[in-house]
Amino acid sequence: MSIDSNNDWQLETLAVRAGQERSQFNEHSEALYLTSSFVFENAAQAAARFSGEEEGNVYSRFSNPTLSLFQDRLAALEGAESAICTASGMSAIMSLVMAHLKAGDHVVASAGLFGATIQLFNNILARFGISTTYASQTRPEEWAAAIRPETKLFFLETPSNPLTEVADIAALAEIAHAKGILVAVDNCFCTPALQRPLELGADLVVHSATKYLDGQGRVLGGAVVGSKKLTEEVFKFLRTAGPTLSAFNAWVLAKGLETLKIRMAAQSANALELATWLEAHPKVARVFYPGLASHPQHALAMRQQKSGGAIVSFEVKGGKPEAWKVVDNCRLLSITANLGDVKTTITHPATTTHGRISAEARTTAGIGDGLLRIAVGLEAVQDLQADLERGLAQL
Ligand SMILES: *Cc1c(COP(=O)(O)O)cnc(C)c1O
């Protein structure tokens, strides 16, 4: 039995219950359907399933009960009618664009987007006649000024990576909707446990499920979430083009959602404690964390999000040698660019995630050589502090 989605269930209830359809075996935990195709009773049923006259699974490129489980559960958490899952976060963004844009269309996007998203817009979609203008995350008037007659999409990511700049989703949605422009939000950093962009006026949400939705660094996945009408177009693209999530990954992700709320709450609390400690540290020049009163968009972040999230960036006094010293003295924090894991990770953006862009562009973006990004996990904060202090003490 699947729980009644019309009922007014709380997020933590939906996270463990929504989307489950028990099989004839009445299993308690969600079943995993590792099958590429589904069998029909007879020729007439096959025809009806293929034409869409009869609902039911056909072929796992576009329908599978384990994918439906993950999709329905995620849609419930975002307060959406529907979700379509994809093989990765990048394929979710690509599917959204392929479903809703065409050659000649124009996008306005956050200046601080995830690196691969910028590459997708600039190096791939540009070749197919879709152009992109970047606008400041914190200045809605720049978004308004960037609008052209052919603008079809506002694409934002908030908070941004790694500087945690917060965009005002409601303000940008108002500007976009006055001109009939769709608004999509990459909700990777907050997840629906902390921020629900559709309630703030966004039309679509995209996820890299690889991050907090999984939460334990195991699998890749993505999703596009929104109204039935808008996600149906994404489904049509996915059905034909095939950037499909595997059933196994969908199962891992659906189970990951069960603990999403408590993970996000605990990791955010750890992040706030660590950010507060870093801000008072004599070897630290500046801390970027929306949960700190010193953050330029602190008030907006606290209105729009349930907490500051679990990403903390900070600048050490000095440059690359000092930042690398902190990284290289870590024995507990993992030196890896991934985030969203219960294991805390540390990255030097200037030489990793943002290493492919020019030094000049990095300076414009505010990503200095002394900047470090920490994706805070579930370890004890005092252990994280001790690990960072080893390097900081040597500066
Ligand atoms: C990781 C990430 C993506 C891309 O997701 P993949 O699952 O790695 O393809 C997109 N947006 C943001 C904000 C991310 O952090």
Side-chain angles (χ1 to χ4, degrees), residues 11 48 87 255 353:
L11 186 125
K255 299 301 281 179
T353 52

Side-chain angles (χ1 to χ4, degrees), residues 86-93 112-117 155 157-161 186-189 206-212 219-222 311 337-339 373:
T86 57
S88 65
M90 290 319 302
S91 58
I93 298 170
L113 283 185
F114 180 69
T117 312
F155 189 90
E157 185 184 312
T158 178
S160 70
N161 178 18
D186 185 330
N187 200 24
C188 174
F189 271 32
V206 296
H207 275 289
S208 168
T210 315
K211 312 293 170 50
Y212 292 102
V219 301
L220 275 91
I311 306 290
N338 196 24
L339 61 94
R373 185 199 74 192

Side-chain angles (χ1 to χ4, degrees), residues 78-350:
E78 286 284 7
E81 275 176 1
S82 167
I84 303 297
C85 61
T86 57
S88 65
M90 290 319 302
S91 58
I93 298 170
M94 185 191 67
S95 300
L96 183 157
V97 170
M98 296 306 252
H100 287 284
L101 272 63
K102 60 180 187 323
D105 286 346
H106 173 248
V107 180
V108 185
S110 302
L113 283 185
F114 180 69
T117 312
I118 295 178
Q119 309 275 342
L120 177 70
F121 282 129
N122 289 359
N123 302 344
I124 298 177
L125 295 170
R127 285 198 275 116
F128 295 87
I130 294 169
S131 59
T132 306
T133 304
Y134 296 94
S136 163
Q137 181 85 332
T138 56
R139 273 184 249 125
E141 62 277 15
E142 274 190 25
W143 294 68
I147 294 173
R148 303 179 195 161
E150 59 275 19
T151 305
K152 291 286 157 56
L153 177 69
F154 273 16
F155 189 90
L156 45 142
E157 185 184 312
T158 178
S160 70
N161 178 18
L163 295 177
T164 70
E165 286 184 332
V166 178
D168 188 333
I169 297 172
L172 292 174
E174 204 180 310
I175 292 168
H177 291 159
K179 300 271 166 104
I181 296 165
L182 283 177
V183 177
V185 176
D186 185 330
N187 200 24
C188 174
F189 271 32
C190 275
T191 82
L194 302 185
Q195 168 173 280
R196 304 219 295 176
L198 300 175
E199 284 171 359
L200 298 165
D203 302 294
L204 290 161
V205 167
V206 296
H207 275 289
S208 168
T210 315
K211 312 293 170 50
Y212 292 102
L213 301 189
D214 173 11
Q216 294 174 63
R218 299 166 294 193
V219 301
L220 275 91
V224 183
V225 189
S227 67
K228 199 129 200 85
K229 185 163 165 261
L230 292 176
T231 54
E232 181 63 24
E233 297 304 312
V234 177
F235 175 73
K236 285 186 204 158
F237 171 76
L238 176 124
R239 175 180 184 140
T240 309
T244 308
L245 184 66
S246 84
F248 179 78
N249 289 7
W251 183 83
V252 171
L253 293 167
K255 299 301 281 179
L257 291 180
E258 294 180 351
T259 54
L260 179 67
K261 184 161 177 175
I262 53 171
R263 278 189 284 108
M264 292 311 288
Q267 290 177 231
S268 298
N270 276 359
L272 177 59
E273 201 178 330
L274 194 70
T276 305
W277 175 77
L278 284 166
E279 195 165 48
H281 199 288
K283 303 291 172 62
V284 172
R286 187 166 170 199
V287 180
F288 303 86
Y289 182 65
L292 289 177
S294 59
H295 190 280
Q297 295 98 42
H298 176 66
L300 168 64
M302 292 302 98
R303 210 163 57 234
Q304 189 166 277
Q305 306 170 197
K306 285 207 169 70
S307 75
I311 306 290
V312 178
S313 292
F314 66 102
E315 249 164 38
V316 296
K317 289 182 179 164
K320 185 177 123 176
E322 288 75 16
W324 277 23
K325 185 158 270 173
V326 175
V327 173
D328 289 341
N329 275 285
C330 287
R331 293 180 203 155
L332 185 64
L333 274 64
S334 315
I335 307 170
T336 170
N338 196 24
L339 61 94
D341 202 309
V342 294
K343 295 181 174 72
T344 300
T345 64
I346 186 164
T347 320
H348 182 240

